[in-house]
Amino acid sequence: MKRVSVIGSGAMGAGIAQVAAQAGCEVTLYDNNPDALEVASKKYTKIFDRLVEKGRKTREEADAILSRIELTHSMEHIDDSDMVVEAIVENLDVKKQVFRKLENLVSDECILATNTSSLSVTSIAAACDKPERVIGLHFFNPAPLMPLVEIVPAISTAPELANQLKELMFEWGKSPAIAQDTPGFIVNRVARPFYGEAIRIYEEGIADIPTIDWAMKTIGGFRMGPFELTDFIGHDVNYIVTETVFKEFYFDPRYKPSISQKRLVEAGFYGRKSGRGFYDYTEGVEQPKPTEDEVLGKKIVERVLAMLINEAVDALYLNIASKQDLDTAMTKGVNYPKGLLAWADEIGVSNVLETLENLHSEYDEDRYRPSVLLKRMASNGECFYN
Ligand code: NAI
């Protein structure tokens, strides 16, 4: 892979172009908005100056990488690409239009990838004359730092292309995971209970926000608690993902969004970026303290973790990804301390099942139904890894 073009020089496109250039590719970064190109160019100068300052790159290395990225306002410059990665606005009609244009510019062999996080790759591929060369290549933000890349073949994609891109992503220093073209791919599907179940526990009044965050970090080993994390991501973004996944799964109650998060969005309390979310970030405001109750903390972690594991097991059952790729996705895309299936082995598959069955019988809600695979494995005394 010598020549890579990236369409859209925003947060993701600029990062993806940097990753490709660092891997030695000649990169063309195209945007139809000259201001966006200007922003990307300034960002590169800042990033590479800092890398040189910190001694991570020599000036020569930094200059060599930068010289491999051509920023352009002219789409025709992508004509000799081996692969194009699209990272423009998340809008199906606009993406389809751009893919049609791309196909007319590049050679028949050029791979066309989309960085979409929520649209069906198959529907984007359907806009093309050669849908077999279209595939999802889903980087995480910030692309140069986050190792995970979800590779998402559409149902029309040539069978060998996913593995070919998996090899390429390893060459680029990434941790790839192949996912079926289904809502949320791996991470945005499997991670839903981290937010949803935590909010539910808070809504029920079982524990307050700082206590749930404390439990998930101190006892669960997660880097951030669910409330801190959604405040950081932004509730506008996180809520929309939840709502989209819920709708796309035909309103499966497992993915049901939370009213309390919806209210935050309606109020404009997006989290850190707006100064208030679940927490108040106004200067001088003291953050509420958790109740450091080990017994309560363990119950919280047990419940959220059982829901997360159930999601991962069900994704495995439905062939969304292999068990290794499911675990890679959660450790390399959202920094979970362990892969969820490896974690299930550690806790014991039958213990996870028992937690879910207790919740299911107590609440009588379909949300808590255990995956068929979890039940089968528990009854056979099986575990995920050897
Ligand atoms: P962004 O808004 O920062 O950048 C999009 C860029 O595309 C803008 O610079 C815009 O000028 C350009 N653009 C829009 N229409 C265009 C067109 N027709 N031709 C050429 N350029 C065009 O958006 P961001 O956050 O970089 O997202 C891009 C894609 O990546 C979306 O599909 C998004 O869902 C996906 N994504 C975003 C992540 C994130 O955390 N921001 C994470 C993973 C995927």
Side-chain angles (χ1 to χ4, degrees):
M1 183 74 52
K2 282 293 320 153
R3 301 200 62 90
V4 173
S5 293
V6 180
I7 313 294
S9 67
M12 294 308 294
I16 296 166
Q18 184 187 329
V19 171
Q22 282 174 346
C25 300
E26 296 293 331
V27 183
T28 302
L29 178 57
Y30 160 76
D31 203 292
N32 63 0
N33 176 358
D35 293 343
L37 289 166
E38 182 67 29
V39 170
S41 167
K42 285 193 178 135
K43 200 165 102 180
Y44 284 144
T45 308
K46 212 168 138 190
I47 289 172
F48 281 95
D49 280 352
R50 210 180 306 140
L51 287 173
V52 171
E53 246 170 59
K54 285 189 178 167
R56 303 245 184 91
K57 295 253 181 292
T58 64
R59 188 73 255 172
E60 292 69 36
E61 284 166 342
D63 288 346
I65 293 165
L66 284 171
S67 74
R68 285 198 287 274
I69 306 177
E70 179 205 358
L71 293 122
T72 179
H73 182 43
S74 165
M75 201 176 185
E76 285 67 36
H77 286 203
I78 68 155
D79 59 351
D80 57 353
S81 312
D82 299 314
M83 176 166 81
V84 179
V85 184
E86 167 276 316
I88 64 163
V89 55
E90 188 77 340
N91 175 304
L92 183 59
D93 291 334
V94 181
K95 286 202 198 278
K96 280 183 168 180
Q97 264 176 33
V98 165
F99 271 76
R100 272 191 219 108
K101 255 196 203 164
L102 287 175
E103 256 202 327
N104 291 329
L105 289 170
V106 298
S107 73
D108 280 358
E109 290 71 41
C110 176
I111 298 165
L112 301 182
T114 171
N115 188 50
T116 182
S117 41
S118 65
L119 301 170
S120 135
V121 178
T122 303
S123 62
I124 296 171
C128 295
D129 286 334
K130 284 171 69 73
E132 60 275 16
R133 49 135 134 212
V134 177
I135 194 160
L137 200 58
H138 184 215
F139 288 80
F140 287 70
N141 194 11
L145 299 181
M146 295 303 290
L148 178 67
V149 180
E150 291 179 335
I151 296 169
V152 188
I155 59 168
S156 45
T157 305
E160 64 282 3
L161 192 52
N163 279 325
Q164 193 186 326
L165 284 193
K166 195 170 188 180
E167 282 307 309
L168 180 71
M169 289 303 106
F170 279 127
E171 282 170 29
W172 285 14
K174 292 293 175 190
S175 302
I178 298 178
Q180 249 197 63
D181 185 16
T182 47
F185 310 139
I186 302 174
V187 167
N188 281 336
R189 170 197 195 127
V190 175
R192 299 277 43 94
F194 187 72
Y195 320 110
E197 201 54 25
I199 299 174
R200 173 75 188 251
I201 290 170
Y202 155 69
E203 285 174 344
E204 286 184 30
I206 294 170
D208 60 16
I209 287 167
T211 302
I212 300 169
D213 274 350
W214 164 81
M216 293 306 289
K217 284 187 294 182
T218 313
I219 298 170
F222 289 88
R223 238 182 241 186
M224 289 175 92
F227 299 95
E228 288 172 344
L229 182 56
T230 45
D231 270 5
F232 180 75
I233 295 169
H235 293 285
D236 47 344
V237 175
N238 187 261
Y239 179 78
I240 293 289
V241 176
T242 305
E243 201 179 55
T244 307
V245 169
F246 180 55
K247 284 182 185 160
E248 293 275 315
F249 277 114
Y250 308 109
F251 307 100
D252 185 331
R254 275 217 313 249
Y255 307 108
K256 200 163 150 187
S258 313
I259 305 265
S260 35
Q261 193 181 25
K262 186 167 192 231
R263 291 289 178 269
L264 290 180
V265 177
E266 288 165 351
F269 295 170
Y270 297 149
R272 277 191 178 274
K273 63 183 167 191
S274 68
R276 184 168 166 188
F278 283 117
Y279 294 96
D280 187 346
Y281 299 95
T282 314
E283 230 187 285
V285 169
E286 205 181 312
Q287 294 304 336
K289 297 264 180 300
T291 308
E292 297 187 6
D293 175 340
E294 290 271 334
V295 176
L296 175 63
K298 278 185 185 146
K299 277 206 170 125
I300 294 167
V301 174
E302 184 182 66
R303 178 165 163 179
V304 177
L305 200 47
M307 292 293 277
L308 283 168
I309 289 171
N310 197 38
E311 237 5 275
V313 175
D314 212 45
L316 180 65
Y317 179 59
L318 296 171
N319 293 306
I320 304 306
S322 70
K323 62 184 172 189
Q324 287 81 7
D325 281 1
L326 280 162
D327 278 358
T328 296
M330 304 317 284
T331 50
K332 305 291 185 185
V334 268
N335 291 320
Y336 283 14
K338 293 167 202 163
L340 290 166
L341 301 174
W343 215 338
D345 283 351
E346 210 177 287
I347 299 169
V349 169
S350 52
N351 293 329
V352 177
L353 178 64
E354 195 186 332
T355 304
L356 288 163
E357 281 178 337
N358 288 341
L359 288 164
H360 200 199
S361 79
E362 187 182 355
Y363 290 98
D364 212 8
E365 283 179 52
D366 205 28
R367 171 187 181 87
Y368 297 107
R369 71 184 188 278
S371 169
V372 171
L373 181 59
L374 196 71
K375 291 204 261 188
R376 281 187 199 158
M377 290 183 64
S379 78
N380 294 335
E382 288 171 334
C383 51
F384 290 97
Y385 296 94
N386 54 71

